[in-house]
Amino acid sequence: MSISRRKFLQSSVIAGGAAATAPYYFMRSARAADELEVGVLFSLTGGLSIVEKSLADATLMAIEEINAEGGVMGKMIKPVVEDGASDPKTYNEKASKLVIQDRVPSVFGSYTSASRKAVLPVFEKRRNLYFYPTYYEGFECSKNVVYTGAVPNQQLSNFIPWIVENLGKKKFFIVGSNYIYPREMAKVSKILIEQAGAEWVADEYLELGHSEWGAMVKKIKDSGCDVVLSNVVGDSVVAFYREFKNQGLTHDTLPICATVTSEIEIAAMGAEFAAGSFTSFPYFQAIDTDANQAFVERYRKYVGDANAVTHHALESSYFQVYLWKQAVEKAGEATPEAIREGVKGQVFDAPNGTVTVDPENLHTYLTPRIAQWDDKGQGTIVDAYDAPVRPLPYVAYGETSENLFCTASGLDTSKL
Amino acid sequence: MADVIFIGLSLSSILLLIALGLTIIYGAMGVINMAHGELVMIGAYTAVMTGIYLGFNLIAALPVAFLVAGGIGFLMERAVIRHLYGRLLDTLLATWGIAIILKQAIRLEFGLSFLDIHIDGLGTGLQNVAIPAFLNQPWSIGGIEVQSYRTFIILLTVFLALVTWFLMYRTSYGIQVRAIMRNADMAAACGIDVKKVSSLTFAYGSGLAGVAGVMMAGFKTVSPDMGSSLVVDGFLVVVVGGVGSLLGSVASAGFLGQVNGIFATYSNDILARAVVFGVVILIIMWRPQGLFSFKGR
């Protein structure tokens, strides 16, 4: 029997086509009725994977815990994990895939603002729902995103008055990486510094990822400031704190007060370089409650690393899955719109305390805390609010609890 | 003013430390080694690993990193680059490929992470190296506070530059290398074992990258991606200084470092970086062959 080349090609194209489509149909029909798919979208590769992997782990851990207790409305949650590869464009593609092909009703994901901005059009156009766990600069009001990390007023409105009153500092040197988050944070800081009756002597930026701090630290030294407010991000944090110490500055006399430096960065730089400095976050690994200690233990066991650290965005990645679960149960169905209506006003006892989703702007009430780092890389909580604070994403533009810019009906641009 | 010059000097020494190996390899063999940054990264990881497993401090890790990075460079030359001499674009691609392989080898812990085996000190995470206490404290000289770690880097760079100069200009090995730089065929005709000298030169240049890596580990976090951005600075120095010219590299590193330091201090780092690139563009427009250069192969 001889098979001509043409014939072979024809039949293999048909066979190949059948083989390629078969799993798709198979998958559709095999999607069990007792399963509920959700998207998990973090960078598992690339430069940001160091942090984002831990966020993905916390998300999957929450899903596993919920499933172990019977799932959501009797259905098991099935995570569809995609890799954003530290690249906003990839984020956009993977978000489209999750929303259009997998038709998941919600996606948990993103660490950087750049990746969130990249996926935003997908979720808004397809009316899907994105759960974003990271502290960010605010200035966003989407009906399709639930924000569970801190916004500037939850990191700064307690921090700056506290620095002025308790540390007695009057002259701020504001330093940050050169992109939107540090610049917005600086804007809010300046308002608060003036309100507190202090002044800022400089507002300086360094390229993202820059690690040569010689000239900047010298400027800090020569500026006559008595406190440094740092919005430096990522790898640069490590080089900054190291150079600070190498130039002979100490946190006793000139403390760095940071909004980004978390347990992860401290572990990466070596604890001795940060000992004595301060950070403001709603969550620290050191929060001394049984709920949090148990959470840290569970996380360490889950990732199989007895020294793993937990941090603010990680904790938000964890509790937002529970908020989502409660929202689905309240809505009684798993469609994006129903979940969004369901999540409004949801309350959950997270490791950091009680969190509530604001029904107006879909941001989360969180409890601001300030920690001082010790020489073991852990924070000592030196100040905490009694109650969670309302999220105000437009605080830099004059938003207050009485005068919201971002409400359930959308952003009131006339107030900007 | 003195402290501004010190910052510039420190920036220069870091530039030169990275460029030194690159300029030798580029000059002697006409190979643009895109994996140079990854050899720096290997050096930094050597410091991490010797710290964890052998209890070595940063200084003790220096010779180890030289040998490890040099050894990897030697293997690279033997396995790949040797077969591509004279084909500039091919070596560019090949060394870039090697760079990716080296990065992934560290990230995947030589493939063991697929088997769920974790080696402390490797993997995607950030690592850090402790700086010995005596390099941590600034000391003052004539009323100026000087950072000991940066001073140490400056001294080490001067030392390595002198050693390299001695090797190249005062030993018979150096004469052979320089002969190959000028004209490889003629050198071979005179009885120089071009292949052997080339492998040794490549290994030496790679070893210098390893030493640079150890020193960088004290400044910043160690991660698989750390080398990629460093290699750009290295190429700036080499291109401005003139291909294969040791003196040129020293001069251009010194010059670019001071430009960077002065602009960073009196305006800001972002502008300083732009100015440095602007100066580099002007210099290569004015002297495409670099500041110091001779006709080579």
Side-chain angles (χ1 to χ4, degrees):
Chain A
M1 193 180 82
S2 72
I3 301 173
S4 74
R5 185 178 139 86
R6 175 180 292 246
K7 193 138 197 169
F8 175 74
L9 280 176
Q10 275 175 352
S11 53
S12 48
V13 164
I14 293 166
T21 48
Y24 182 72
Y25 283 110
F26 179 70
M27 232 166 55
R28 290 282 142 225
S29 58
R31 179 187 272 176
D34 56 351
E35 272 184 354
L36 195 54
E37 286 188 332
V38 294
V40 177
L41 179 55
F42 292 100
S43 300
L44 305 177
T45 55
L48 294 164
S49 61
I50 299 147
V51 179
E52 295 199 26
K53 180 84 173 44
S54 72
L55 307 187
D57 283 337
T59 308
L60 296 174
M61 179 173 108
I63 291 174
E64 198 179 281
E65 285 181 13
I66 292 171
N67 283 343
E69 284 164 16
V72 183
M73 298 189 306
K75 292 182 182 178
M76 290 292 121
I77 308 172
K78 189 179 164 217
V80 183
V81 180
E82 289 293 343
D83 177 8
S86 308
D87 170 35
K89 198 164 161 288
T90 309
Y91 257 98
N92 180 290
E93 285 160 11
K94 296 296 170 99
S96 303
K97 185 246 171 201
L98 286 168
V99 169
I100 298 167
Q101 189 183 322
D102 297 324
R103 286 186 267 169
V104 298
S106 305
V107 178
F108 304 98
S110 278
Y111 177 64
T112 62
S113 288
S115 64
R116 186 191 69 255
K117 292 279 188 203
V119 302
L120 205 56
V122 176
F123 288 90
E124 293 191 332
K125 194 172 165 203
R126 300 279 165 180
R127 298 205 182 84
N128 210 292
L129 201 56
Y130 199 51
F131 282 74
Y132 177 65
T134 317
Y135 49 93
Y136 84 111
E137 65 279 357
F139 201 62
E140 197 172 286
C141 182
S142 174
K143 287 182 189 175
N144 300 85
V145 182
V146 179
Y147 308 82
T148 57
V151 282
N153 76 309
Q154 292 167 320
Q155 274 187 280
L156 290 172
S157 60
N158 59 327
F159 203 19
I160 286 170
W162 182 85
I163 294 168
V164 175
E165 284 158 28
N166 292 55
L167 299 181
K169 304 295 184 186
K170 292 279 177 239
K171 288 183 172 173
F172 285 75
F173 192 110
I174 307 173
V175 60
S177 303
N178 194 16
Y179 78 107
I180 183 168
Y181 173 80
R183 286 192 177 265
E184 288 289 315
M185 291 299 268
K187 242 184 231 173
V188 182
S189 307
K190 287 175 190 168
I191 297 170
L192 291 165
I193 288 169
E194 276 157 27
Q195 278 173 5
E199 58 171 325
W200 53 277
V201 295
D203 178 18
E204 293 274 350
Y205 297 90
L206 219 64
E207 256 174 285
L208 194 59
H210 197 85
S211 59
E212 178 50 62
W213 281 87
M216 184 69 86
V217 172
K218 182 186 140 41
K219 266 187 216 170
I220 291 175
K221 224 172 165 176
D222 297 344
S223 69
C225 64
D226 54 13
V227 60
V228 179
L229 186 70
S230 159
N231 302 310
V232 180
V233 177
D235 234 15
S236 309
V237 174
V238 176
F240 176 36
Y241 280 66
R242 286 196 160 208
E243 181 70 25
F244 199 76
K245 183 166 181 193
N246 287 343
Q247 289 209 14
L249 298 173
T250 64
H251 298 297
D252 302 336
T253 50
L254 183 61
I256 297 180
C257 296
T259 55
V260 187
T261 312
S262 74
E263 286 84 349
I264 284 221
E265 283 85 7
I266 304 275
M269 75 176 76
E272 76 266 27
F273 292 98
S277 69
F278 299 90
T279 300
S280 171
F281 268 137
Y283 173 85
F284 290 97
Q285 182 177 331
I287 290 176
D288 195 15
T289 58
D290 293 344
N292 181 47
Q293 295 310 321
F295 168 68
V296 174
E297 281 313 305
R298 287 203 306 281
Y299 177 73
R300 286 180 168 172
K301 212 172 142 201
Y302 183 79
V303 296
D305 179 358
N307 297 317
V309 291
T310 57
H311 51 100
H312 170 49
L314 184 152
E315 191 241 6
S316 293
S317 302
Y318 172 81
F319 75 65
Q320 69 178 8
V321 182
Y322 279 91
L323 288 172
W324 175 86
K325 170 196 181 244
Q326 293 177 1
V328 174
E329 282 169 345
K330 187 184 170 199
E333 58 171 328
T335 62
E337 269 108 3
I339 297 172
R340 180 180 64 224
E341 292 313 309
V343 84
K344 287 178 179 173
Q346 279 303 334
V347 183
F348 179 70
D349 278 324
N352 84 67
T354 306
V355 296
T356 312
V357 178
D358 190 309
E360 295 290 347
N361 57 25
L362 296 181
H363 287 62
T364 309
Y365 282 72
L366 296 164
T367 312
R369 289 185 173 87
I370 300 165
Q372 182 169 30
W373 300 102
D374 64 18
D375 53 6
K376 292 181 193 66
Q378 283 301 323
T380 311
I381 313 277
V382 290
D383 186 68
Y385 270 36
D386 303 331
V389 166
R390 183 165 205 182
L392 300 170
Y394 288 86
V395 73
Y397 302 88
E399 190 183 35
T400 59
S401 318
E402 292 76 39
N403 180 18
L404 290 180
F405 289 16
C406 177
T407 60
S409 53
L411 175 66
D412 185 351
T413 46
S414 66
K415 291 180 180 172
L416 281 179
Chain B
M1 193 63 204
D3 43 1
V4 179
I5 291 172
F6 180 78
I7 288 175
L9 202 60
S10 163
L11 292 170
S12 303
S13 67
I14 294 165
L15 283 175
L16 184 59
L17 196 57
I18 293 163
L20 212 49
L22 205 58
T23 188
I24 292 166
I25 291 172
Y26 190 18
M29 302 146 91
V31 171
I32 295 183
N33 185 12
M34 297 293 281
H36 194 74
E38 276 58 40
L39 289 164
V40 173
M41 182 265 294
I42 295 284
Y45 270 96
T46 310
V48 173
M49 301 296 276
T50 53
I52 295 176
Y53 295 103
L54 303 172
F56 282 15
N57 71 11
L58 211 64
I59 294 166
L62 285 171
V64 185
F66 181 82
L67 292 177
V68 170
I72 290 174
F74 188 77
L75 291 178
M76 263 168 71
E77 204 274 344
R78 279 289 158 99
V80 181
I81 292 159
R82 153 156 309 188
H83 308 288
L84 300 171
Y85 279 133
R87 293 154 61 185
L88 186 70
L89 286 177
D90 297 355
T91 51
L92 199 83
L93 271 181
T95 50
W96 193 38
I98 293 171
I100 295 172
I101 292 171
L102 289 176
K103 261 191 268 191
Q104 291 298 359
I106 297 289
R107 200 173 271 143
L108 300 172
E109 304 168 36
F110 304 114
L112 290 175
S113 66
F114 291 124
L115 310 172
D116 251 357
I117 301 170
H118 176 68
I119 305 173
D120 254 3
L122 294 179
T124 48
L126 298 173
Q127 311 292 339
N128 70 73
V129 178
I131 301 175
F134 71 94
L135 288 179
N136 242 336
Q137 295 306 322
W139 43 280
S140 75
I141 175 168
I144 308 163
E145 285 221 323
V146 179
Q147 281 182 69
S148 37
Y149 191 65
R150 285 182 185 268
T151 313
F152 182 73
I153 293 184
I154 294 171
L155 294 177
L156 183 74
T157 309
V158 170
F159 171 72
L160 289 176
L162 285 176
V163 167
T164 307
W165 173 82
F166 184 80
L167 270 179
M168 298 290 274
Y169 292 91
R170 288 290 179 271
T171 63
S172 65
Y173 161 77
I175 293 172
Q176 295 180 9
V177 174
R178 284 184 294 136
I180 293 172
M181 276 188 193
R182 296 291 173 117
N183 190 326
D185 292 337
M186 206 58 177
C190 295
I192 294 173
D193 187 346
V194 175
K195 286 191 167 175
K196 189 179 129 202
V197 173
S198 294
S199 335
L200 284 177
T201 311
F202 201 92
Y204 179 69
S206 305
L208 290 180
V211 171
V214 176
M215 295 324 289
M216 292 315 289
F219 268 121
K220 50 195 274 174
T221 43
V222 179
S223 72
D225 291 312
M226 69 181 285
S228 318
S229 57
L230 296 174
V231 74
V232 176
D233 292 345
F235 276 118
L236 285 187
V237 172
V238 172
V239 168
V240 169
V243 172
S245 164
L246 197 60
L247 183 65
S249 291
V250 173
S252 80
F255 176 62
L256 294 177
Q258 290 299 348
V259 169
N260 195 341
I262 289 168
F263 276 90
T265 314
Y266 292 113
S267 108
N268 63 55
D269 280 277
I270 297 166
L271 186 73
R273 190 111 182 108
V275 169
V276 166
F277 277 98
V279 166
V280 169
I281 290 171
L282 288 179
I283 290 177
I284 56 178
M285 278 167 68
W286 169 55
R287 278 186 75 91
Q289 70 277 45
L291 292 176
F292 299 77
S293 136
F294 48 80
K295 208 166 153 22
R297 74 172 178 189

